[in-house]
Amino acid sequence: MRYCEASGAEVTAMLEKTTRINLLYDFYGPLLTDKQRAMLELYYHEDWSLGEIAGHYGISRQAVYEAVKRAQDVMIDLESRLRLLEKHRRRREIAEEMLRRLEEIPEGKRVAEPLIRQLLDLD
């Protein structure tokens, strides 16, 4: 049996990367090719290995790696240009801060909270 020798920091970094790719996919997935979307879904959502995906498509593991990497690069490039994920995060931070401040103003909270929740639900 082979054990994972990754440190806690390495595991955290891998999880953060996976979370970021999944968030980017939520925003930019529709702009990828069908094949790129399918491979990313298998790799990140279904937790298939590169070898399993390669077997499924009848291609090499390296071809799968390159396709997944290319799709990631496309999404990262789109985010650097459009900043949809960054804007989404910032809106959520502002809304949460507004809700925290409204805790001190019950009447304001009663009126504003439903509107803030509607704004958050748009994303």
Side-chain angles (χ1 to χ4, degrees), residues 17-18 21-22 40-47 68 72:
K17 178 184 176 187
T18 298
I21 293 298
N22 282 322
L40 280 178
E41 287 174 6
L42 291 174
Y43 189 71
Y44 284 104
H45 298 168
E46 302 298 325
D47 201 28
V68 168
Q72 291 172 359

Side-chain angles (χ1 to χ4, degrees), residues 1-11 14:
M1 177 179 270
R2 193 171 146 199
Y3 293 94
C4 180
E5 296 181 18
S7 70
E10 291 170 325
V11 170
M14 288 186 291

